[in-house]
Amino acid sequence: MLSSGRRWPVALAALALTACSPTPQTPAGPIMVEAGYVLLFNDVLVGNALFALEIDPEGNYRIDAFTTPAGQMAQTDGHEVLESSHGVIAADGVRPLRFDHSVMAGENIEVGSLEFDRDKHVLRLSSKQAEHGAALLPGTQDRLSYLLTARRLAMAGEGSAQITIASTESTEETRLQVAGKEAIDVPLGHYDSVAIRRVTPKPDVIRALWFDTDLSPLPLRVVHGWAGNTVDMQLESLSPRPPPATPTENR
């Protein structure tokens, strides 16, 4: 099992994955894409992440993110983080319905989930430690669905969105703000992008995302900086996911 001191950079890297309304964007589907990322802690490789996104023509979406240690954080007993979000993208915003989070360290597995009950306006948390509900505030997102909200802003090219990002541990008030166009380099290449700043009540924390929406609905890069430290997730591979097999193909 990873010691707490050895595994926290990878856990933070997984976290890198959390006003005026943006111009409504409706999905042109189906969208099926897989994106691979390198995770850097203070410019040192600590992990890899694989994201899989599906959006159907009706706006139903699913994002799966699988994070594993690499480089200096690689361990024989493993430390894997699996997260999943599904919900609906409507003209007025992204509406997650459920978020699942699991951490596997050796033989130990910790599992938690969030259920977004929009009929009763309740956010239900279920984990090994507790089960309880809280008021579901308008605009509440999870740690993966907020990427789709940021993407909508990037597509609009202007504006901001005030949201709450919920996880199985806590919630955080966040404002996503379009910061303008920037040219950036990631392992996959050089791209002209739209930068999105993620502003939180903590003034010493810097968070940002970069999108090339013509290339991918997922970000090129996600950065979280604090107290001289930086967690940096950078795109290194991108491919369309194969379509589901038809009954004929399964024969």
Side-chain angles (χ1 to χ4, degrees):
M1 181 187 303
L2 292 176
S3 67
S4 58
R6 287 283 293 166
R7 69 189 182 191
W8 70 270
V10 171
L12 284 170
L15 284 173
L17 303 175
T18 108
C20 301
S21 299
T23 302
Q25 302 286 343
T26 55
I31 293 174
M32 303 177 70
V33 64
E34 288 185 347
Y37 296 87
V38 292
L39 302 174
L40 307 175
F41 177 69
N42 292 341
D43 296 323
V44 176
L45 177 67
V46 295
N48 296 108
L50 178 65
F51 281 62
L53 168 65
E54 295 184 23
I55 305 175
D56 71 17
E58 286 72 42
N60 300 299
Y61 80 84
R62 180 182 178 94
I63 307 176
D64 295 301
F66 184 54
T67 306
T68 56
Q72 293 187 1
M73 293 301 297
Q75 295 289 320
T76 57
D77 59 359
H79 182 78
E80 302 172 349
V81 179
L82 177 62
E83 295 178 302
S84 179
S85 172
H86 73 267
V88 179
I89 304 173
D92 60 348
V94 179
R95 302 173 185 169
L97 298 175
R98 184 179 175 90
F99 172 78
D100 293 291
H101 173 90
S102 63
V103 178
M104 295 159 280
E107 297 180 355
N108 296 326
I109 301 177
E110 297 181 8
V111 178
S113 65
L114 295 173
E115 181 182 353
F116 298 74
D117 189 332
R118 302 191 178 277
D119 293 332
K120 297 181 178 180
H121 305 287
V122 174
L123 178 65
R124 295 190 179 89
L125 165 67
S126 176
S127 68
K128 184 178 180 180
Q129 290 75 25
E131 292 188 14
H132 61 83
L136 179 58
L137 301 176
T140 299
Q141 302 294 317
D142 60 52
R143 290 203 320 215
L144 294 178
S145 68
Y146 95 90
L147 297 175
L148 299 177
T149 298
R151 174 208 179 209
R152 286 162 59 89
L153 281 169
M155 292 176 70
E158 61 181 1
S160 62
Q162 189 70 35
I163 63 175
T164 298
I165 299 180
S167 72
T168 54
E169 295 86 19
S170 62
T171 60
E172 181 179 66
E173 296 298 321
T174 295
R175 186 175 80 253
L176 299 175
Q177 175 73 53
V178 175
K181 295 183 178 180
E182 295 182 17
I184 66 168
D185 291 290
V186 294
L188 191 62
H190 178 85
Y191 300 96
D192 294 324
S193 69
V194 176
I196 306 290
R197 299 290 181 256
R198 179 178 163 185
V199 183
T200 71
K202 300 176 181 178
D204 58 339
V205 174
I206 300 172
R207 293 183 178 179
L209 308 88
W210 289 262
F211 287 85
D212 180 343
T213 56
D214 291 333
L215 177 73
S216 170
L218 292 169
L220 296 170
R221 184 182 181 192
V222 181
V223 168
H224 176 193
W226 77 104
N229 296 306
T230 303
V231 172
D232 195 345
M233 185 175 84
Q234 300 183 11
L235 185 67
E236 69 169 350
S237 66
L238 183 68
S239 62
R241 298 186 69 188
T246 64
T248 300
E249 292 172 330
N250 283 331
R251 292 175 184 173

